[in-house]
């Protein structure tokens, strides 16, 4: 294997030669990792790109046309890695946007809270608004809207036992707040 160049190794990889793959990896992985680290400080992303790159080489070794188009195996390997790195940056950017959007607090009160503020005022309304949202939802559904335990459970998508527990906790909290 030591006498073969990288293009010949890729040719053998295309035919399923594991020893050729291991030799190509041994020769090129230190160089490729260094080159990727110069462009990306995230070691996890570099490791993912390395894995995806060599997996692509193993699966698509037959796609390498080499000298026919004036390319080299190392250049082909770098092209695969660079594209995988760009894909990784895009995934990270999308993930960061999703996390940022999820972390942004809502600035406007919920419609139910607004309606509740107008419907129930004074100390009762203040005590109701201080309840945890899940307790307030149950209390609002059962007391203000007149729904049964079963209807409240269906409305909120929780088991009936959870509705009963939350209703009890909400009543206790309201009693303490109003005493």
């Amino acid at each position: 294997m030591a006498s073969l160049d990288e293009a010949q190794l890729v040719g053998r990889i295309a035919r399923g030669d594991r020893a050729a793959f291991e030799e190509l990896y041994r020769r090129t992985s230190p160089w490729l990792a260094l080159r990727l680290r110069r462009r990306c400080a995230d070691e996890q992303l570099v490791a993912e790109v390395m894995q995806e790159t060599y997996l692509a080489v193993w699966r698509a070794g037959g796609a390498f046309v080499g000298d026919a188009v004036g390319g080299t195996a190392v250049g082909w390997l770098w092209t695969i890695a660079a594209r995988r790195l760009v894909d990784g940056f895009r995934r990270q950017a999308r993930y960061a946007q999703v996390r940022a959007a999820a972390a942004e607090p809502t600035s406007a009160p919920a419609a139910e809270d607004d309606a509740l503020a107008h419907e129930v005022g004074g100390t009762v309304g203040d005590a109701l608004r201080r309840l945890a949202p899940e307790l307030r939802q149950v209390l609002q559904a059962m007391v203000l809207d007149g729904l049964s335990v079963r209807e409240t459970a269906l409305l909120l998508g929780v088991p009936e036992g959870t509705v009963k527990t939350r209703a009890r906790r909400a009543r206790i909290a309201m009693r303490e707040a109003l005493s």
Side-chain angles (χ1 to χ4, degrees):
M1 291 286 163
S3 63
L4 299 175
D5 68 7
E6 286 79 12
Q8 292 169 325
L9 290 173
V10 172
R12 287 182 171 217
I13 291 169
R15 294 188 297 274
D17 187 342
R18 285 184 165 229
F21 179 78
E22 290 170 6
E23 179 65 19
L24 180 72
Y25 182 82
R26 187 189 63 73
R27 287 185 194 180
T28 59
S29 65
W31 165 83
L32 185 60
L34 180 66
R35 198 160 179 190
L36 288 168
R37 284 188 192 108
R38 286 183 185 158
R39 287 158 179 79
C40 177
D42 184 349
E43 282 295 321
Q44 184 177 356
L45 182 57
V46 169
E48 288 175 19
V49 168
M50 292 282 292
Q51 182 177 6
E52 291 173 7
T53 299
Y54 284 103
L55 182 61
V57 168
W58 177 256
R59 288 181 176 167
F64 174 64
V65 289
D67 294 334
V69 293
T72 64
V74 175
W76 180 65
L77 187 67
W78 172 245
T79 301
I80 294 170
R83 289 179 179 164
R84 297 296 192 274
L85 184 61
V86 169
D87 291 344
F89 285 146
R90 287 178 182 152
R91 276 192 309 269
Q92 283 183 336
R94 273 193 307 264
Y95 181 71
Q97 287 174 345
V98 168
R99 288 188 56 185
E104 290 178 9
T106 56
S107 58
E112 298 92 16
D113 294 338
D114 196 33
L116 186 61
H118 292 298
E119 188 173 320
V120 180
T123 56
V124 174
D126 291 340
L128 197 54
R129 282 187 288 283
R130 281 192 299 251
L131 284 177
E134 65 274 4
L135 300 180
R136 185 173 54 244
Q137 289 173 340
V138 168
L139 206 56
Q140 182 178 356
M142 293 180 70
V143 176
L144 298 177
D145 298 338
L147 299 179
S148 68
V149 171
R150 175 172 286 155
E151 292 168 335
T152 302
L154 289 173
L155 175 72
L156 299 176
V158 295
E160 289 181 37
T162 302
V163 169
K164 291 175 184 178
T165 302
R166 288 180 183 175
R168 182 176 179 277
R169 287 177 49 209
R171 287 185 186 112
I172 291 170
M174 287 294 290
R175 193 174 305 126
E176 288 173 3
L178 295 174
S179 61

